[in-house]
């Protein structure tokens, strides 16, 4: 296989800032030329072939998407800025393109002519026609000219604000400073990664960034509650710059919804999702919160008792409150106490150098593919590049696509974990295929002077989850790029990856992907049993926190009038998450999802868990590593992408319509599930 040459070259990553903008402008001009030609067709000339819009859109995307990706990963500010500017040019053009009534009329004429001619389109072609026409209606092309012009102006403004919000999020580089005494309890190997300096009073202090590997250990391990409070409030308030941006963005979305004739922005967004409308979202969240609240209250009382006990032992004042900065700390203490499970010990069994290849190996065997590392051009020396092949590939026809892994934090890089489908797969007009490319960006801990790069079990779960998105992008096989891979309904897109998280709680999988960095021994059966038992500890509080984010998101997108969004963030969290806040921080400025495409969509993370639990229990639970089951998943969930309704893919995979039984039992146990008999 090492001798096989990919039939499609890898991407170039040596663009200059000037090239990024020049190429983007040239692609916009080419796309506009195609639209002009389509618009100039006489109505009787419009048909499926003459409307070459899907092809033009795909050509545009495969050239420009990699260019707009630089802003998330490039170490060069000039490239990031050019990439951001290119995205703004594209978005503005996208708004103008979406508002072309002449092109929409050509689409309508084509649909009419196709019907009259009796020409039979295949299912995916028919879906493409339907979606293109629906796009026009949702873009407001049925409105009078004056309203269309206003709509275009508002859309461009909203797009600019979203980009600004995300740019601030990516480029945030604040620090918070602590003495060694204040960091008591934080593991020494974590502290060794902080920047040590002498302050103006000649005290030795440590600067801690707000990146996950730096700040989260303080939430989890710092014994001094004042340290945790300061760390938490600094983290929450780190993006106050985004507050006025979000205020304006929400105002624009209310205006857009009204112009388009929707009750609320959430109704507009959810119309094309599985849930269908905002009421469906609210009903789902209310029902789940009602079921989870008694569980969460019980868990909070247990953690509060643990806090009281520790404060009495240490002579610390105790005011009877359980604060948000107490949650991760006492959650860990409770797990350590009840299960004798030490998170830092578990971490020693997950060196990045072992876990990443082990997870790739599990996926390769399950899904019948092979990763071959390629030493090619990338955007940073840390990045690994792979060519992906069918496991029994003999020639170029067995090529699947490319995968990039960018796993470690650095300045101005996207600060969470996510996957970008930089190139889609699709059928080209000459009958050959264009192959996909997926890039995973993560922020795993780097090596310290005393230990190699290690992953917490949480990190392992996240990596497994994100690789699920990578494979959704690689193994989908659709006729049109529009339906490729993760281009499915947003409230389904997380379900495949959430299902795959289950592997990280399976004893034989945990044994297989663990190897102590010093002894090379895998996790012992005893330690594995404790990890598995820890999965649903404090699950009520965990999901109530998720419901807080989802409720905040849906409320700000269904309210008809503006509000004090900082006040709402803090009061809603206290009510739903069952944890007390302190200073009212502008946490909404850090809520990247709300400006990054998940607006009125955060509920989808929990909504899709219903499907994930059902898929896992029904098909994989009996033997999660079985390649036959893997092929069934590949063929019925991954391969179709968005080329058919998600509910049809689920029915095909499960052999029946999905239900919430597995999800409810997973959270509440069989006995609790009977009490919480669900309308979910």
């Amino acid at each position: 296989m090492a001798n096989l040459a990919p039939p499609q070259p890898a991407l170039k990553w040596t663009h200059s800032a000037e090239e990024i903008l020049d190429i983007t402008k040239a692609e916009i001009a080419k796309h506009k030329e195609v639209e002009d030609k389509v618009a100039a067709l006489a109505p009787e000339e419009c048909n499926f072939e003459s409307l070459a819009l899907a092809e033009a859109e795909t050509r545009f995307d495969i050239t420009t998407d990699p260019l707009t990706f630089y802003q998330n990963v490039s170490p060069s500010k000039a490239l990031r800025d050019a990439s951001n500017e290119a995205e703004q040019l594209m978005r503005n053009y996208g708004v103008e393109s979406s508002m072309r009534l002449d092109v929409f009329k050509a689409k309508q004429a084509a649909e009419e002519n196709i019907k009259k001619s009796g020409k039979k389109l295949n299912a995916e072609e028919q879906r493409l026609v339907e979606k293109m026409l629906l796009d026009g209606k949702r873009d407001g092309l049925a409105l009078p000219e004056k309203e269309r012009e206003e709509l275009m102006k508002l859309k461009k403004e909203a797009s600019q604000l979203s980009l600004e919000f995300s740019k601030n999020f990516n480029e945030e580089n604040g620090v918070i400073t602590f003495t060694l005494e204040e960091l008591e309890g934080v593991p020494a190997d974590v502290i060794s990664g902080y920047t040590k300096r002498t302050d103006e009073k000649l005290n030795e202090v440590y600067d801690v960034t707000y990146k996950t590997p730096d700040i989260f250990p303080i939430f989890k391990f710092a014994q001094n509650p004042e340290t945790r409070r300061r760390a938490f409030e600094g983290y929450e308030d780190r993006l106050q710059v985004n507050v006025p941006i979000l205020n304006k963005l929400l105002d624009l979305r209310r205006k857009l919804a009204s112009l388009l004739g929707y009750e609320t922005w959430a109704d507009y967004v959810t119309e094309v999702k599985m849930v269908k409308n905002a009421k469906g979202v609210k009903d789902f969240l209310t029902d789940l919160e009602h079921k989870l609240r008694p569980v969460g209250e019980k868990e909070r009382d247990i953690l509060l008792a643990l806090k009281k006990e520790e404060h009495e032992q240490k002579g610390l004042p105790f005011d009877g409150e359980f604060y948000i900065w107490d949650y991760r700390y006492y959650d860990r203490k409770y797990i350590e106490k009840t299960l004798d499970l030490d998170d830092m010990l578990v971490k020693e069994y997950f060196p990045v150098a072992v876990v990443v290849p082990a997870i790739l190996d599990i996926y390769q065997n399950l899904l019948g593919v092979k990763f071959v590392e390629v030493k090619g051009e990338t955007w940073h020396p840390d990045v690994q590049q792979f060519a992906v092949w069918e496991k029994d590939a003999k020639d170029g026809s067995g090529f699947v696509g490319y995968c990039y892994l960018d796993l470690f934090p650095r300045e101005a890089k996207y600060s969470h974990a996510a996957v970008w489908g930089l190139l889609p797969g699709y059928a080209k007009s000459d009958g050959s295929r264009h192959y996909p490319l997926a890039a995973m960006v993560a922020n795993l801990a780097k090596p310290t002077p005393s230990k190699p790069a290690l992953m917490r079990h949480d990190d392992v779960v996240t990596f497994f989850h994100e690789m699920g998105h990578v494979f959704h992008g690689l193994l989908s096989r659709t006729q049109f790029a529009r339906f490729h891979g993760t281009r499915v309904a947003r409230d389904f897109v997380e379900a495949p990856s959430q299902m795959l998280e289950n592997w990280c709680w399976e004893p034989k999988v945990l044994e297989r992907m663990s190897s102590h960095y010093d002894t090379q021994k895998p996790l012992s059966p005893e330690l594995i049993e404790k990890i598995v038992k820890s999965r649903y500890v404090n699950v009520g509080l965990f999901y109530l926190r998720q419901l807080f984010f989802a409720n905040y998101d849906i409320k700000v997108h269904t309210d008809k009038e503006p509000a004090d969004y900082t006040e709402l963030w803090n009061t809603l969290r206290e009510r739903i998450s069952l944890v007390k806040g302190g200073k009212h921080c502008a946490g909404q400025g850090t809520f990247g999802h709300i400006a990054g495409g998940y607006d009125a969509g955060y509920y989808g993370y929990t909504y899709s868990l219903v499907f994930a639990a059902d898929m896992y229990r029904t098909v994989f639970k009996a033997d999660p590593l079985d390649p036959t089951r893997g092929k069934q998943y590949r063929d019925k969930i991954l391969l179709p992408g968005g080329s058919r309704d998600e509910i049809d893919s689920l029915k095909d995979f499960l052999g029946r319509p999905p239900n919430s039984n597995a999800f409810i039992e997973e959270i509440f146990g069989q006995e609790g599930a009977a009490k919480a008999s669900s309308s979910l």
Side-chain angles (χ1 to χ4, degrees), residues 608-627:
S608 56
L609 277 169
V610 173
F611 308 127
D614 198 5
M615 288 194 290
Y616 183 67
R617 189 167 78 175
T618 304
V619 176
F620 278 111
K621 180 65 182 165
D623 187 355
L625 297 174
D626 175 18

Side-chain angles (χ1 to χ4, degrees), residues 138 249-258 260-283 285 490-491 550-560 594 597-604:
R138 284 172 55 76
L249 187 56
L250 293 173
D251 193 41
L252 286 173
R253 286 173 180 165
R254 277 188 290 275
K255 288 177 183 171
L256 282 164
S258 175
L260 288 164
Y262 290 85
E263 187 69 18
T264 68
W265 181 255
D267 285 297
Y268 169 73
V269 169
T270 53
E271 180 186 33
V272 290
K273 296 188 181 178
M274 294 184 79
V275 78
K276 299 303 177 200
N277 53 50
K279 183 182 181 300
V281 176
K282 287 180 169 178
D283 289 349
L285 295 175
R490 265 289 168 94
D491 48 5
N551 273 288
Y552 185 85
D553 173 39
I554 209 69
K555 182 160 177 52
V556 299
H557 288 116
T558 49
D559 280 357
K560 300 292 181 68
I594 216 162
Y598 269 84
D599 41 302
Y602 197 91
Y603 76 91

Side-chain angles (χ1 to χ4, degrees), residues 36 53 92 193 283 380 386 430 456 462 473 534 541 653:
D36 289 344
L53 292 168
N92 282 344
D283 289 349
H380 190 275
F386 298 90
D430 64 4
R456 295 174 303 123
T462 299
S534 75
L541 287 174
F653 182 64

Side-chain angles (χ1 to χ4, degrees), residues 555-571:
K555 182 160 177 52
V556 299
H557 288 116
T558 49
D559 280 357
K560 300 292 181 68
E561 297 296 330
D564 180 338
Y565 295 117
T566 300
E567 173 79 11
L568 179 66
W569 179 268
N570 289 275
T571 52

Side-chain angles (χ1 to χ4, degrees), residues 196-404:
K196 187 160 83 166
R197 64 179 174 85
T198 304
D199 70 9
E200 60 281 358
K201 294 178 184 172
L202 302 181
N203 295 321
E204 203 172 71
V205 293
Y206 294 83
D207 287 338
V208 181
T209 76
Y210 292 120
K211 305 295 182 202
T212 307
D214 281 358
I215 199 76
F216 273 54
I218 294 180
F219 301 153
K220 209 164 182 177
F221 293 100
Q223 292 174 12
N224 184 338
E226 184 60 14
T227 298
R228 296 197 305 274
R229 182 194 64 76
R230 277 187 54 220
F232 177 78
E233 290 180 351
Y235 184 70
E236 277 277 283
D237 246 353
R238 73 192 190 276
L239 280 164
Q240 287 190 40
V241 65
N242 276 343
V243 170
I245 296 172
L246 184 60
N247 290 350
K248 283 186 210 160
L249 187 56
L250 293 173
D251 193 41
L252 286 173
R253 286 173 180 165
R254 277 188 290 275
K255 288 177 183 171
L256 282 164
S258 175
L259 263 176
L260 288 164
Y262 290 85
E263 187 69 18
T264 68
W265 181 255
D267 285 297
Y268 169 73
V269 169
T270 53
E271 180 186 33
V272 290
K273 296 188 181 178
M274 294 184 79
V275 78
K276 299 303 177 200
N277 53 50
K279 183 182 181 300
V281 176
K282 287 180 169 178
D283 289 349
F284 170 76
L285 295 175
T286 302
D287 185 46
L288 189 53
E289 186 189 343
H290 174 71
K291 291 177 173 64
L292 285 168
R293 180 166 279 274
V295 181
E297 284 171 343
K298 190 175 167 188
E299 292 167 355
R300 182 198 56 192
D301 291 346
I302 290 168
L303 297 185
L304 186 60
L306 198 59
K307 175 182 176 178
K308 182 171 187 276
E309 184 187 322
E310 183 178 67
H311 276 231
E312 283 171 356
Q313 284 170 358
K314 293 185 171 179
L316 294 168
F318 177 70
D319 61 4
E321 297 286 3
F322 191 73
Y323 293 98
I324 187 158
W325 52 85
D326 292 330
Y327 169 62
R328 289 182 193 274
Y329 179 77
Y330 288 104
D331 179 58
R332 172 189 64 83
K333 296 279 283 187
Y334 179 75
I335 289 170
E336 284 180 5
K337 183 178 177 181
T338 56
L339 295 174
D340 188 27
L341 181 62
D342 180 352
D343 191 51
M344 296 313 286
L345 171 64
V346 171
K347 182 173 150 180
E348 293 181 355
Y349 285 87
F350 292 125
V352 172
V354 171
V355 176
V356 170
I359 290 177
L360 292 183
D361 192 50
I362 288 165
Y363 270 114
Q364 288 173 105
N365 292 331
L366 183 69
L367 299 173
V369 295
K370 187 79 184 158
F371 270 56
V372 178
E373 188 158 6
V374 180
K375 296 296 180 192
E377 225 175 76
T378 63
W379 55 86
H380 190 275
D382 283 354
V383 179
Q384 286 179 282
Q385 180 188 353
F386 298 90
V388 186
W389 297 84
E390 298 289 356
K391 67 171 182 187
D392 52 1
K394 300 284 189 297
D395 55 39
S397 66
F399 184 62
V400 171
Y402 288 104
C403 168
Y404 292 84

Side-chain angles (χ1 to χ4, degrees), residues 418-437:
V419 171
W420 275 260
L422 295 177
L423 296 177
Y426 59 91
K428 296 200 278 194
S429 52
D430 64 4
S432 65
R433 284 208 64 83
H434 183 274
Y435 297 95
L437 183 155

